[in-house]
Structure formats: C-alpha cells, structure tokens
Amino acid sequence: MKNEKKIQQSINRREMLKKSGLALAAAPFYFGLNSCVSGAKKTMDADVIIVGAGLAGLNAALLFEQAGFKVKIVEATDRLGGRVHTAKESDVPGHPELGGNGIGGGYARVLDAAQKYGVSMGPMRPRTEARKGELVYRIKNNFILPEEWPTHDLNTLPEGYRKGLPAYVTWGHFGKINPLPENDLAAWRDPKYKDWDKSTYSVLKDEGFSDDDIKLVMGTNSSYGVDAQNISIMMYFQILTWIGQQNASTGKGGAIVGGNQRLPEAMAAAFKQDIMLSSPVKSIASEADATTITLDNGNTLRAPYCLVTLPASALRRIQISPSAQGIQQKGFQNLDYTPVVQLHYVPKKKYWEEDGLPPSMWCDNLAGRFMALKNDLQDPDRVTSCVAFLNSNVALEIDKMKQEDAIALVTKTLEDIRPSLKGALDFTYYWTWVNNPYAGGAYAYWKPGEITDFANNLADPIGRIHFAGEHTAVMNRGMEGAMESGERAAFELMDLLG
C-alpha cells in the first residue's frame, strides 16, 4: 500500500506539471528529479540514453540505476508503458487493456517486478476469449452455436478440424508437427530448422485445406499477422513451445489490479533519474567516443552509449548513423506488426436477453470479435463494456478510413447482423495500433523466411548504439519478452561500461 501511494504521488506530480504548462507541445516533458537539456553539450548527459519508456526500456534503466550508472530515458509519447496500455476508466468502464493483456505464471520478470514495485496481481481479464456458453459464431450470415459448428453445413473444414473455434482448430496439428525440442526456447532461431521457416499456408494446403478454409481459420480474427501466406509456421512453433513452458510453470499469473499499465508506471516511479516524455527522437549518431541523440525539437543529448528499445516499425522513422547494413537493415525495414483496431462500447441494455443469443460473437465480417467484457472485480458477472476487436485485413481496411467513418461502418455492421444491438450500444472509445507512428501494430510477427534471414541480427549493436524490445527477445514473448530484452541489453552494456 505504501508503494502504491508513492506511485500515485509520482503520477499526480506528472499531471500537476502538465497542467502548469511545463509540458508544452513543442517541448519535452520531464518525469524525474534532475532534468536539464540544451542544444550544445560539452559534457555527457548520462552513461546511457535509453530511447523508449516501455517495459524493455524501464527494466534496463532500473538495472543500470541499481548498478550505479547515470541514465536518461527519452519517450516519444506522453505516457509510460509503450504497448502496455490500459484504457482510462473515464473512457471505457472496467478499463480494459488496449495493449499487453494476460500475464502468464511463467512471466518471472514481470511478476517479480510487480512484487518489487508494489503493484497487486488479480485474476486474468479475458479480452478476446468468451466464457463457456457466452459465444456465438457469425459465419456466412448465419448464427451458429459452438456445439452446432462441428456438423453444420457451412463447416467445410477437413476431417479432424471441424470441432472448435475456427481460429484455433489448426493449433493441434501445429503442435504435432512442431520440430522444436520442448525445453529449448531458443531453438526457433536455430538455422538447422530453417526448412520450417515457410508459410503457414503451404502447411495447411498439404493438410487438404481449401483457400476458403484457410481464409476462415487464418485470415479471420487471426491474433498473429495478417493471413496464412504472410506468416511463418516457425512462429507458431515458437509460440507453442513457449506456451508449453508457461503451462509447466508453477507461478501464478493473472492481470495487474487497476490495469497492466500500472506496472510500467510503478517502475517509472521507482526510477530516480530522468524520463523525458513527449520527446520524439529524430536521429541517433554513433561517434568515436559517444552517441548523440537529436530530438524532433532540435535539442540534443550525449552519452557514451544509447539503448534503443523501439519496435522496428518506429525505428524506421529515426535516422541512425552509421545506418544498419545488410541483413540487419533488411530486418529493420521489413519486420511487421500484427494489426489491431479496437472499438469500445458501453451496453445500454441486455441485448442478449432480448434475442436469446450469447452476448459475444466471433464474426467473419467487419465486426471481428465482438466481446462482452466483464471487468468488475466486485461483480464479475456484470458486462462492463463491449469491444469490437479487429485483426487481419479487417483491421487494415478499417484503419485506412476516417475514424468517424470507421466507427459508423462497424457500428452499422453490428446492428445489421444483430438487430438487438440497435440502440443498445453507446460508442465510447477508438484505439488503433496500426496507424500509430510509435508502434505500427500490436506486436511483431515473422513472415516466411524472416526468422532465418534476420532474427539473430536485429539486436546487433551499431557502433555504440544497442537495441532491445520484444522483437529481439529469444526465450520469451510479449511483456516477458520485452523485460528479457531489456535485461539482456543492460548486462551487455554494463560489460562495456565497466
């Protein structure tokens, strides 16, 4: 409780400074104790400048600080956490996660940080998975209950794949053919498995799936990538091996009480040095004895080393000197991120009681996964909000539209397919990870051949510039992968700093 109070005081201090006018649009905002910046520095600003205040950057910063090094963090946006982002209660009741959601029992670094920095763990908060009996499929203009799907006339999937949610029916087969050793979380990068770094589409065609079947199971509401042709089956092998390790863990996962963003905020509150918010980086130069970081506003920072923790999609907007070469440059330019767009609503009535259908829907149209969320810890059966969670090509299509047009189209689609939703929903919040210059998507995905081509080289230093972020993680994924990468980079640089 004492730590939580301290965290809130630090956050309140930040809000107070913002309101006082210190956080001007054209100037960086400082979250720290010793802030100063000028256009021409004669001395170093820190031992390490960290670009990005997500979990990777914050974990690295705290490790540096504990080891006695001087650190500054530079963050482009006005908040902490990167792709860990919780909706405000004032925007969406129940404050659902907009970014990183579940915390597994094997998220050792995340769970340790939660305990260390005084945030409480609570139960998992499902976002795109409905409770048993609370989901109906909407496929080819038909409502189909899960128990009806295996024998339904519209189910044309091959024998052995007709039971279960379409997006998950292939996972069992992927598990059977997974060549990776169960206990080797780094094997997915081993060149000896390069023949498996091929399209998931080719694997499913070999199993007798038609193109329409593949579109249903891999191109509709897919949590990874866009479609089967553009994602490597090796990525699924990595995910399955990692899930196996998570399931074998004895730890207790869940979600952060109050939202997962409370964790990076707590980490930032524990960090005693500077975090410069609203400070996009324009360029980073590695020189003979230092790095120079130039912000969009023209101010510069200098340090012996720079640690960049941005996703590759965000790194593409920054000029790096000397530039990346060869396969690393290919990786920076080509690694893509899973498209995610979310439209949040507050239900004004119990529409599911009106039509007798389950409250949540898995749709093969612009409605995506329409989920009735239950995020009230005191009343866990109450629907607090609904979300149209869009992935794959649907997310890309919607994201190209003007926001007001996208909202109108998705809302109309929902009302057309389910009349009980007419007048039942108040739109409350729109969030996109796609049209976001500092993210470009929710998390990295690997296209066929990319793991073999450049996965092992994305974190290679460029002179004095080093790299971290979930896309550079070897053993873990998601939030834990980000923490792993920050830890790896911090120890790497400590060896150089001496």
Side-chain angles (χ1 to χ4, degrees), residues 219-234:
T220 306
N221 303 321
S222 176
S223 294
Y224 303 101
V226 177
D227 57 43
Q229 291 180 320
N230 289 297
I231 192 164
S232 172
I233 188 65
M234 181 57 73

Side-chain angles (χ1 to χ4, degrees), residues 180 184-190 193 234-235 237-238 446 451 455 471 473-475:
L180 305 180
D184 188 352
L185 292 176
W188 65 286
R189 292 190 177 199
D190 191 327
Y193 298 109
M234 181 57 73
M235 179 172 169
F237 293 157
Q238 180 220 2
W446 303 90
I451 294 171
H471 61 291
V474 177
M475 310 288 283

Side-chain angles (χ1 to χ4, degrees), residues 75-331:
E75 165 60 40
T77 71
D78 62 356
R79 65 174 184 83
L80 303 157
R83 284 167 289 158
V84 177
H85 187 18
T86 305
K88 295 178 181 178
E89 184 70 27
S90 57
D91 289 330
V92 188
H95 52 273
E97 300 299 338
L98 304 175
N101 194 50
I103 298 173
Y107 281 42
R109 295 171 184 84
V110 173
L111 293 171
D112 180 69
Q115 182 177 31
K116 183 174 183 179
Y117 301 115
V119 295
S120 302
M121 292 295 300
M124 196 75 75
R125 302 203 303 160
R127 179 175 56 188
T128 54
E129 301 81 26
R131 296 180 187 178
K132 186 175 181 179
E134 296 189 0
L135 181 69
V136 63
Y137 306 161
R138 178 73 178 189
I139 297 175
K140 295 182 179 178
N141 299 316
N142 284 263
F143 282 117
I144 307 170
L145 294 172
E147 58 269 26
E148 299 171 338
W149 176 242
T151 58
H152 200 279
D153 290 343
L154 291 176
N155 189 341
T156 61
L157 299 177
E159 288 293 339
Y161 294 95
R162 295 182 179 178
K163 185 177 180 181
L165 186 66
Y168 295 148
V169 296
T170 58
W171 286 75
H173 177 62
F174 295 165
K176 289 177 183 178
I177 64 173
N178 184 359
L180 305 180
E182 290 182 4
N183 297 318
D184 188 352
L185 292 176
W188 65 286
R189 292 190 177 199
D190 191 327
K192 76 178 182 181
Y193 298 109
K194 66 180 182 179
D195 289 346
W196 283 104
D197 191 9
K198 60 183 180 180
S199 77
T200 305
Y201 175 86
S202 66
V203 174
L204 293 179
K205 289 299 285 186
D206 288 345
E207 275 294 291
F209 282 75
S210 69
D211 285 354
D212 284 345
D213 291 339
I214 293 174
K215 181 179 179 181
L216 179 66
V217 301
M218 296 294 297
T220 306
N221 303 321
S222 176
S223 294
Y224 303 101
V226 177
D227 57 43
Q229 291 180 320
N230 289 297
I231 192 164
S232 172
I233 188 65
M234 181 57 73
M235 179 172 169
Y236 281 97
F237 293 157
Q238 180 220 2
I239 294 168
L240 285 164
T241 304
W242 177 72
I243 288 174
Q245 290 289 304
Q246 288 293 312
N247 291 339
S249 170
T250 58
K252 185 178 181 181
I256 303 292
V257 174
N260 290 340
Q261 196 174 341
R262 306 294 84 80
L263 177 58
E265 289 173 351
M267 295 169 73
F271 182 63
K272 297 179 178 62
Q273 300 180 64
D274 294 338
I275 302 177
M276 301 169 57
L277 299 179
S278 301
S279 301
V281 171
K282 180 179 181 180
S283 65
I284 305 170
S286 175
E287 300 153 0
D289 60 353
T291 59
T292 298
I293 294 87
T294 303
L295 306 181
D296 277 2
N297 63 12
N299 288 332
T300 61
L301 297 166
R302 282 175 58 80
Y305 294 96
C306 176
L307 173 58
V308 180
T309 68
L310 307 180
S313 49
L315 188 59
R316 292 195 272 269
R317 66 178 297 277
I318 297 175
Q319 180 181 344
I320 302 290
S321 178
S323 61
Q325 299 296 313
I327 54 178
Q328 186 182 39
Q329 182 185 40
K330 182 179 179 181

Side-chain angles (χ1 to χ4, degrees), residues 26 41 64 83 155 303 305 338 417-418 451 454:
K41 286 284 184 180
F64 281 126
R83 284 167 289 158
N155 189 341
Y305 294 96
T338 297
I417 65 175
R418 189 165 182 172
I451 294 171
F454 53 72

